[in-house]
Amino acid sequence: MEETGQLKRAFIDATAGAISGGISRTVTSPLDVIKIRFQVQLEPTSQWSVPRRDVHGNSKYTGMLQATKNILREEGLKGFWRGNAPALLMVMPYTAIQFTVLRQLKTCAAGSSKSEDHMNLSPHISYISGALAGCAATVGSYPFDLLRTILASQGEPKVYRNMRSAFVDIFKTRGIPGLYAGLTPTLVTIVPYAGLQFGTYDTFKRWMKAWNHRRFSDSSQGNESISSFQLFICGLAAGTCAKAVCHPLDVVKKRFQIEGLQRHPRYGARLEPRAYRNMYDGLRRILLEEGWSGLYKGIVPSIVKAAPAGAVTFVAYEYTSDWLESILT
């Protein structure tokens, strides 16, 4: 019976994680496309950016509003959901694995599978569990992340017609390692990102619960449970904090993923194959050639996307998990 209960719990976590990830990804896809276009553009993304000393051409995208108008005019409304199919194939198994592993790690640490007991875990356990769950989910879904980035950044005319043609070409020319290009900076990114996201989310939930306790301690209502709006605020804050800290590593990851991509010249300078030797070299080169602003290209749409994405993911997961649990119990 104990084994059956564990399997049921894993099914609930995986299903709720996949659904919440799919909803969040589809809702925020336009912001993700704009963010990726900024991140893979070698030229400055605003008039205040430090220009490159060696190569300086006309910038394709110079701001969120300008980029939005540009993509809408050249690629239509569907351009904002370019790469969404592989993104869903990445995000849904990613969040399914992440929430399942996270739950199991917290259960081992707390010695109980009850959510109430997980709330009492120390903050550093939440951070470590989130980081490990993020690593497991990243390795399991990475090729789809690579395909998503390539399809979202290629523009018009398309280099690859669809996900299948991109997969076949990368596999033929670069083999299996090509499908994991940029995995190292991704893992280095996901450790602090997932740790911060889940750690701060749990921390904010504890603070919110304590605030509710003080708020209703002298009230006849006696309702200390966290509302859906409060969960949304916790997820919003967690997503913002994590993305703001880890954005430079995400920029380097995107550069590794689009090395050698034959985009149309109007989308800016092409990043040659093996342009960066490793992650450190990538950070150093971007800093020298594009300035500090180069490491934060796409930070505005990234945070604008990460905040609601985190909020929607956590709220959708909480409610889907409770709904599935009520059905299966």
Side-chain angles (χ1 to χ4, degrees):
M1 288 182 67
E2 183 179 352
E3 184 177 348
T4 302
Q6 290 178 352
L7 288 173
K8 184 178 73 173
R9 185 68 251 179
F11 172 77
I12 291 173
D13 292 331
T15 304
I19 292 173
S20 62
I23 293 172
S24 175
R25 166 62 215 185
T26 301
V27 169
T28 59
S29 178
L31 291 168
D32 195 55
V33 169
I34 295 172
K35 179 202 74 169
I36 290 175
R37 297 290 175 91
F38 280 137
Q39 289 179 321
V40 301
Q41 178 174 288
L42 304 188
E43 294 78 14
T45 56
S46 74
Q47 58 182 335
W48 298 283
S49 299
V50 178
R52 293 182 59 186
R53 296 176 177 83
D54 53 347
V55 178
H56 178 60
N58 294 324
S59 299
K60 176 67 174 178
Y61 304 114
T62 56
M64 275 192 67
L65 183 60
Q66 182 267 349
T68 301
K69 291 179 178 179
N70 211 318
I71 294 172
L72 186 62
R73 182 180 66 253
E74 295 180 354
E75 304 170 45
L77 195 61
K78 65 181 181 180
F80 291 108
W81 276 269
R82 178 155 292 169
N84 193 51
L88 286 175
L89 289 174
M90 175 204 74
V91 168
M92 294 182 74
Y94 179 92
T95 49
I97 296 170
Q98 189 176 42
F99 279 106
T100 302
V101 173
L102 181 71
R103 183 86 181 198
Q104 291 301 314
L105 290 172
K106 286 185 173 181
T107 298
C108 290
S112 169
S113 61
K114 294 181 179 179
S115 299
E116 295 79 9
D117 295 327
H118 294 177
M119 287 284 289
N120 297 323
L121 289 171
S122 61
H124 73 273
I125 294 295
S126 296
Y127 285 94
I128 293 173
S129 298
L132 292 175
C135 286
T138 297
V139 174
S141 60
Y142 189 79
F144 294 110
D145 184 21
L146 177 76
L147 294 172
R148 180 276 305 252
T149 298
I150 289 175
L151 292 178
S153 64
Q154 63 181 347
E156 292 286 350
K158 296 179 182 179
V159 179
Y160 301 113
R161 297 190 310 276
N162 49 44
M163 184 173 61
R164 181 179 177 277
S165 63
F167 175 85
V168 170
D169 182 67
I170 293 170
F171 185 75
K172 283 182 177 179
T173 57
R174 299 161 67 183
I176 292 178
L179 296 173
Y180 284 89
L183 178 61
T184 299
T186 302
L187 289 174
V188 174
T189 302
I190 206 65
V191 168
Y193 180 77
L196 280 170
Q197 187 179 37
F198 284 98
T200 52
Y201 179 70
D202 285 346
T203 299
F204 288 136
K205 279 179 68 177
R206 292 188 194 98
W207 290 351
M208 198 66 73
K209 189 174 182 180
W211 184 75
N212 285 347
H213 178 73
R214 291 193 300 270
R215 181 184 176 191
F216 295 113
S217 59
D218 299 326
S219 173
S220 59
Q221 297 178 20
N223 183 13
E224 299 178 10
S225 61
I226 302 176
S227 67
S228 57
F229 177 73
Q230 289 175 330
L231 287 174
F232 185 85
I233 294 299
C234 291
L236 202 73
T240 302
C241 291
K243 184 57 71 175
V245 172
C246 303
H247 188 78
L249 295 173
D250 192 43
V251 171
V252 177
K253 162 194 161 183
K254 292 295 189 295
R255 297 291 178 89
F256 272 108
Q257 290 180 328
I258 59 103
E259 283 182 342
L261 180 65
Q262 301 281 354
R263 295 194 302 170
H264 193 280
R266 72 164 176 262
Y267 288 95
R270 175 192 173 200
L271 193 65
E272 297 299 326
R274 295 182 175 83
Y276 308 128
R277 294 193 301 273
N278 49 47
M279 188 181 66
Y280 173 76
D281 183 57
L283 286 168
R284 184 183 63 83
R285 290 272 303 278
I286 293 172
L287 184 61
L288 288 175
E289 297 173 5
E290 303 171 47
W292 281 100
S293 60
L295 294 175
Y296 284 91
K297 284 180 176 177
I299 185 64
V300 175
S302 181
I303 288 182
V304 171
K305 175 220 167 187
V312 170
T313 299
F314 282 120
V315 173
Y317 170 78
E318 299 271 6
Y319 274 87
T320 306
S321 178
D322 290 343
W323 174 67
L324 289 171
E325 195 167 4
S326 66
I327 292 177
L328 297 175
T329 302

